Every structure is written in C-alpha cells, then in structure tokens.
Amino acid sequence: MSELSQLLHWLFHQAMPFWSTSGVDREHGGFYERFDPSGIVISEPRRARLVARQIYAFAAAERLGWEGPARPILRHGMSALDRFFTPDGTLIATRTSLGETLNSGFDSYDHAFALFALATCHAVGEQKETALLRAHRLLEIMRRDYAHPRAGFEEASPPSIPLKANPHMHLLEACLAWSRTAPDEAWAGLADEIAELCLSAFIDPDTGALYEYFDHEWRSISGAMKVVEPGHQYEWAWLLIQWGLLRQRPDAVAAARRLITVADGFGVDPSTGLAINELNADLTVRDDRARLWPQTERLKAYVALRGITEDPDEHARLTRKIAEAARGMMKYFEHPVTGAWWEHMDRQGKPIVEPTRASSLYHIVLAIEVFAEAEGSRPTI
C-alpha cells in the first residue's frame, strides 16, 4: 500500500470516526480542544481558531471521499463559529463552552483562521452569501483598526510588539483560498501585500532563514526571540510557490526553494528523519523535539516543489522525500487511542506522553489533501 493510501486509510477508518464522534461537543456546540492520552476530554475554553480549523477538516475529508457525516458536522461547526461573532462582525477569540466571552481582544491568528473557514464554507456551497459578507466585514474591521502603516497588521490597538510572521502566513493562506472560490481585489491585494512583506522582511537574505518576531519597523528582534522554525520554513515555502506561480514571480519560487533547503539542511534530525521544532538565528538547534505539524508542512512543501520541477532526477528525489515525510507523519499515529496521535517525538524518536490537540487535525488533513491532489486520483484503500 502506498504512503498516500495508508494516510487515507488511517484518516477514513481511524481519525475521522474518532473526531466525528468523541471530538464533537453535541451538548454545548463546537468541538473539544484536547484529549488526554487515554482519550478523555480535557475541559477547557473554546477558541475560534479551533472551530475554524475543524470546519476545514470536515470539508476536506468529504472532498477526499470520506463517507461519514462530514457535511452535518461542518454545519455544526458553522453554527458554533457564529457564536464567536458579535452583531457588528467583530470576532471573539475565546469563549467558555457555555458561550461566555473570555478574550475579546484582537488576535490576528484567530482572524486568519476565521477567514479561512469562511472561504471553506463558500467553496462547498454552505451559506455562501453570508460567508462572503462576513469575511469582507472582518477584513474591513482589520484594515480599519489594525492595519500596520507599512504592510500587514498590528497585534493590538494601540500597537504593541512583537509583530509576528505566523498569523500573516495564515492570512496569506486564507487570501489564496478566497481567491480560488470568490476572486476579488481585496483578497488578491492582501495576498500580494503579505507575500511581499515575507520576501522583504521575514526572510534573512544572507541565510535564507525565516524569522518569527519583529519590532514595529518589521525588523527581526534579536536575542532569545530570534528563532527559526523549520515547520514554518516549509509552510511558507508551500504558500510562496502558490503565490509565485499565480503572479509569475520566480523570485518568490526561488525564495521558497531556499526555505526548503535551509529546513532540510538544519532542521531535520538525521537520526530520526523528523523535522525538529526550533533553530537559533545561527541555525544551530534550539529545540530538538519534533512536533507533528512540521512533518505535515514538510510533506506539503515537497509536493509543491515537485509540482514545478522539470528535472527528472529532482522529480524522483522529491518523490522519495514525499514518501519519507509521509512515513514521518505516520509515526505519530501509533497511539493507544484509535484515531488520536502523539504531538511530539523526543530526540530518540519516541513519543512524549501528552494530550492530543484537536487543532492538529487541520494540519494532517490539509497535508493529505495536498498529497492526494498532486497524485491526481484517489488510490484504492
């Protein structure tokens, strides 16, 4: 059985059955955030970003061919997401399971995923007009209250530091999703703004490494906050390849290649074959543990890069690396709770016993969907 077939088999027969039953809060709405290693729900607040991610995950599972109740659960998620919006279109980041507001402050990360979920709803034909209007209203509020004077967005009003690359990455993802389902200058313009910001400010021209935290002039912050995450190197590369192809920007594609090269060269542990968590600014290891999500981003980056290569040898090399990344992902699925996963592996490649995060399902399903689309057909599972 191929790596893609194995991933789909696990997704259809283990993961989605677990998350469509145990992962759905049918009493209060929405989804549970985490499960302990024995599969017991951990009671904790609910985040808009998690609801948004689960909306995507169930929509994608349906597209991939899962025969379970994807559409009803997607609608369940849409109803839950409604409760994170105020009447004027403002997004609430965190609520209790009973709907009480815990954090009403601006969070660009939550806004990015809300936009992504709304694009997902529009793309699958669920409340298309409502999703479109709500997304444009959310972007209007962001532009009005949190626009950075140069490009991108602040993290608070009044402005504070650090400014962050990561939420902008997911905003670019959301803009590209909206550009596919409802093309509009608002989404195209913001996608261009963020991609240009990444190329000019986030990526170090000397090393090709992408930094995470910045001062108000979009200069990387030195010291302990000057960190490089291999997973984000891969994830940005996947997005920059998409954007570079859309805009005919070979410089963006070249930057993406370099991001992957840096991540491969410094951010993959040769003893485990897994992408590790963090590097220092000089590309030495800062955190040698390996979370699940960087493995999914590694897979997506290789798939995107293979899709644009015309060199047969490079194509074959990337096909092997795709298989390696997929096998790396699957190591995390060897969990005592069927359909759950380990979030971390240690330096020896052994799982660290800790709760399973529902938010990781988005990373997993997206990687599988990107892989499946690249293969061009659904394999027999």
Side-chain angles (χ1 to χ4, degrees), residues 241-288:
I241 289 171
Q242 293 178 62
W243 181 81
L245 294 175
L246 284 172
R247 299 293 184 264
Q248 297 184 329
R249 289 286 298 272
D251 60 325
V253 175
R257 283 183 176 275
R258 197 176 183 198
L259 287 170
I260 294 170
T261 298
V262 169
D264 281 353
F266 299 93
V268 176
D269 187 328
S271 66
T272 63
L274 300 174
I276 63 172
N277 287 358
E278 294 180 353
L279 303 171
N280 295 304
D282 64 358
L283 303 182
T284 56
V285 174
R286 174 181 291 201
D287 181 350
D288 63 8

Side-chain angles (χ1 to χ4, degrees), residues 26-60:
R26 301 187 185 280
E27 180 180 359
H28 301 114
F31 305 94
Y32 297 115
E33 290 267 349
R34 295 192 302 164
F35 289 81
D36 75 15
S38 65
I40 303 300
V41 170
I42 298 173
S43 179
E44 55 193 343
R46 307 296 170 79
R47 300 173 299 166
R49 69 183 67 175
L50 185 276
V51 176
R53 285 181 174 211
Q54 299 300 73
I55 287 171
Y56 161 76
F58 283 95

Side-chain angles (χ1 to χ4, degrees), residues 189-228:
L190 181 53
D192 293 351
E193 180 181 329
I194 293 171
E196 297 285 10
L197 182 62
C198 175
L199 294 172
S200 65
F202 298 167
I203 299 174
D204 184 332
D206 295 328
T207 65
L210 186 140
Y211 298 125
E212 299 290 334
Y213 303 106
F214 302 85
D215 67 15
H216 201 253
E217 304 304 318
W218 284 119
R219 295 174 302 214
S220 61
I221 294 177
S222 59
M225 297 190 75
K226 197 160 189 175
V227 59
V228 175

Side-chain angles (χ1 to χ4, degrees), residues 167-366:
H168 289 81
M169 180 180 70
H170 290 295
L171 281 169
L172 176 56
E173 180 181 25
C175 288
L176 293 174
W178 270 112
S179 293
R180 288 190 293 270
T181 189
D184 186 285
E185 179 53 37
W187 308 117
L190 181 53
D192 293 351
E193 180 181 329
I194 293 171
E196 297 285 10
L197 182 62
C198 175
L199 294 172
S200 65
F202 298 167
I203 299 174
D204 184 332
D206 295 328
T207 65
L210 186 140
Y211 298 125
E212 299 290 334
Y213 303 106
F214 302 85
D215 67 15
H216 201 253
E217 304 304 318
W218 284 119
R219 295 174 302 214
S220 61
I221 294 177
S222 59
M225 297 190 75
K226 197 160 189 175
V227 59
V228 175
E229 296 191 21
H232 284 157
Q233 298 272 131
Y234 292 122
E235 197 167 3
W236 272 107
W238 173 67
L239 289 166
L240 285 175
I241 289 171
Q242 293 178 62
W243 181 81
L245 294 175
L246 284 172
R247 299 293 184 264
Q248 297 184 329
R249 289 286 298 272
D251 60 325
V253 175
R257 283 183 176 275
R258 197 176 183 198
L259 287 170
I260 294 170
T261 298
V262 169
D264 281 353
F266 299 93
V268 176
D269 187 328
S271 66
T272 63
L274 300 174
I276 63 172
N277 287 358
E278 294 180 353
L279 303 171
N280 295 304
D282 64 358
L283 303 182
T284 56
V285 174
R286 174 181 291 201
D287 181 350
D288 63 8
R289 297 173 301 162
R291 282 191 69 175
L292 166 59
W293 70 261
Q295 321 316 317
T296 69
E297 302 310 324
R298 185 184 179 200
L299 175 60
K300 287 158 54 183
Y302 292 157
V303 168
L305 191 55
R306 187 183 66 173
I308 61 172
T309 186
E310 297 180 356
D311 184 310
D313 291 336
E314 185 183 25
H315 190 280
R317 179 181 67 84
L318 287 166
T319 296
R320 291 192 296 271
K321 291 179 80 69
I322 289 167
E324 291 170 7
R327 290 194 293 271
M329 280 176 58
M330 288 186 279
K331 292 179 182 179
Y332 293 77
F333 304 156
E334 298 172 8
H335 193 280
V337 177
T338 300
W341 47 77
W342 301 112
E343 295 290 342
H344 272 101
M345 296 287 178
D346 65 17
R347 180 66 177 75
Q348 286 71 45
K350 296 180 180 179
I352 297 172
V353 177
E354 60 185 329
T356 296
R357 297 175 179 271
S359 58
S360 296
L361 184 62
Y362 145 82
H363 287 285
I364 295 166
V365 176
L366 182 50

